[in-house]
Amino acid sequence: MSPLLAQITARIAADGPITVADFMAEALMNPAHGYYATRDPFGTAGDFITAPEISQMFGELVGLALAQCWLDQGAPAPFALVELGPGRGTLMADLLRATRAVPGFHDAARLHLVETSATLRGLQGQNLHPHHPVWLDRAEDLPDLPCFAVANEFFDALPIRQFQRTADGWQERRIGLRDGALTFGLAPATPLPALAHRLTDTSPGELVEICPAAPGIVTALGQRIATHGGAALMIDYGDWRSRGDTLQALHAHQPVDPLTDPGQADLTAHVDFEALARAAQTVPGLTHSPMVPQGVFLERLGITHRAQSLAAKLRGAPLDQHIAAHRRLTHPEEMGSLFKCLAMMPSHTATFPGLTT
Ligand code: SAH
């Protein structure tokens, strides 16, 4: 048994079943044995691959969209250039390269990275070497500055709670022990005000998920944006309103049982974009874009044009890879429909590039 599985088993034996959120937090972020705390999980040799690791075009287009917002808002200086959960730092490196030609953008940017993993902070430091990032544990600690932020596949890594609807209300899905092994079970039913609005669109037996940390992060960013200006772009896999069990474990690009070997597999859940939008709506002076599929967003930002100009310099296998990467980011059967984009910005400003109805 791995040290982390032994720790979780001992905790449940002593204190009783734990929530899915507690389990995810341990599996992903335990400082000694957690998945993100101990490794670089990205790329073909890792467990999964993300959009910025698929092609430089992703970070370039996101960067130019954020820079366009910055120009639309009168090029405020200084401003906080923020990424939540930057992974290897690839998106930010591509964003910074693409925005070099935007007059004043780099001089005004104060780079802030919200990242809890010490291992990934080290990689980000190497990849963003000349730019002197400031690392923060929490979005709540961001400075009081105009804030232009991006979060790609960040919210899907935040712990979720799962609830099954029953005749009496909601029963929380928890992880307990059976014959010494981790197993899913249900807590006794309780009324839950946070899920009152889901009584209308679910029936008994259905499961819904909530991400308790997400609204606080959205409002922390949103308050800075509403007060000082800026925008935040959130890109993730998921949909408008959560439905069903979406907890997923990936190891070496294959789905595995989430409970078998915590800390060895990536754990994610679909992002509920309605919950992000509802949190944004609670901040006075803030508005949000419609939710737009990633493929549509990237096409509107001109990915085909950029892909063609990069393709002109390629031959053979690198050209084939480049064409496959373009398809992977945008095609509805790949990431184009499953991944969605939502931005928030001050109510009085222009819309976010690519995110209109
Ligand atoms: N955006 C990157 C990485 C996505 S993986 C990409 O697209 O490639 C999720 C990232 O979020 C990792 O960097 C992970 O360490 C970080 N992360 C996960 N939970 C976090 C939390 N609660 N606070 C800050 N960072 C977190």
Side-chain angles (χ1 to χ4, degrees):
M1 190 186 283
S2 73
L4 186 57
L5 183 56
Q7 266 183 34
I8 294 173
T9 304
R11 174 175 166 190
I12 296 173
D15 302 336
I18 61 174
T19 64
V20 175
D22 285 344
F23 177 78
M24 275 182 88
E26 283 296 323
L28 294 178
M29 287 298 172
N30 179 291
H33 310 293
Y35 181 76
Y36 284 116
T38 54
R39 74 193 69 212
D40 168 13
F42 306 102
T44 40
D47 292 313
F48 59 94
I49 189 155
T50 56
E53 304 293 339
I54 290 171
S55 168
Q56 67 185 72
M57 296 186 289
F58 187 80
E60 290 171 351
L61 293 171
V62 163
L64 292 171
L66 271 189
Q68 184 63 55
C69 279
W70 177 74
L71 290 170
D72 289 343
Q73 292 184 31
F79 74 93
L81 177 60
V82 178
E83 185 171 0
L84 307 179
R88 281 182 178 161
T90 307
L91 189 164
M92 188 50 76
D94 292 336
L95 178 159
L96 287 165
R97 196 185 54 258
T99 52
R100 259 192 323 226
V102 180
F105 189 76
H106 280 209
D107 284 345
R110 304 286 175 271
L111 183 54
H112 286 78
L113 305 178
V114 179
E115 174 61 67
T116 40
S117 158
T119 307
L120 292 178
R121 282 186 180 196
L123 270 176
Q124 292 154 17
Q126 285 168 24
N127 289 335
L128 298 167
H129 174 58
H131 293 283
H132 305 295
V134 172
W135 279 277
L136 302 171
D137 284 331
R138 305 169 340 127
E140 288 82 347
D141 301 331
L142 283 167
D144 284 323
L145 285 175
C147 170
F148 292 83
V150 59
N152 184 62
E153 292 212 49
F154 167 75
F155 287 96
D156 71 2
L158 298 179
I160 50 143
R161 295 173 67 183
Q162 296 185 315
F163 296 89
Q164 188 163 339
R165 185 163 165 200
T166 65
D168 310 322
W170 299 97
Q171 284 185 267
E172 181 153 20
R173 202 165 177 228
R174 293 192 305 192
I175 292 147
L177 293 175
R178 193 191 302 131
D179 303 328
L182 300 184
T183 181
F184 285 109
L186 290 175
T190 45
L192 209 74
L195 286 178
H197 68 295
R198 300 306 306 273
L199 288 170
T200 50
D201 73 327
T202 55
S203 26
E206 272 195 65
L207 197 133
V208 299
E209 298 175 336
I210 57 174
C211 178
I217 295 170
V218 168
T219 51
L221 283 172
Q223 276 157 1
R224 281 159 185 82
I225 292 168
T227 311
H228 305 287
L233 172 63
M234 299 166 279
I235 307 174
D236 234 304
Y237 84 129
D239 216 332
W240 195 257
R241 193 164 273 206
S242 95
R243 185 146 234 156
D245 173 14
T246 73
L247 182 66
Q248 168 179 283
L250 272 190
H251 181 69
H253 301 268
Q254 296 300 321
V256 294
D257 179 345
L259 301 187
T260 309
D261 206 355
Q264 299 303 312
D266 184 40
L267 284 183
T268 56
H270 282 203
V271 171
D272 179 347
F273 281 87
E274 182 187 38
L276 303 183
R278 285 167 77 105
Q281 285 159 14
T282 66
V283 180
L286 193 71
T287 189
H288 63 81
S289 72
M291 182 184 78
V292 172
Q294 173 174 302
V296 174
F297 174 62
L298 294 176
E299 290 297 348
R300 286 177 177 167
L301 295 183
I303 193 169
T304 299
H305 189 72
R306 178 70 180 133
Q308 283 164 351
S309 86
L310 287 171
K313 300 178 200 111
L314 299 172
R315 296 280 175 280
L319 177 60
D320 293 343
Q321 275 165 22
H322 171 65
I323 293 168
H326 177 204
R327 181 187 151 91
R328 195 154 173 201
L329 291 178
T330 55
H331 198 279
E333 283 166 13
E334 306 233 18
M335 298 171 81
S337 293
L338 178 60
F339 281 72
K340 312 288 195 306
C341 311
L342 182 80
M344 49 188 183
M345 51 265 164
S347 309
H348 57 84
T349 56
T351 53
F352 195 92
L355 296 183
T356 46
T357 39

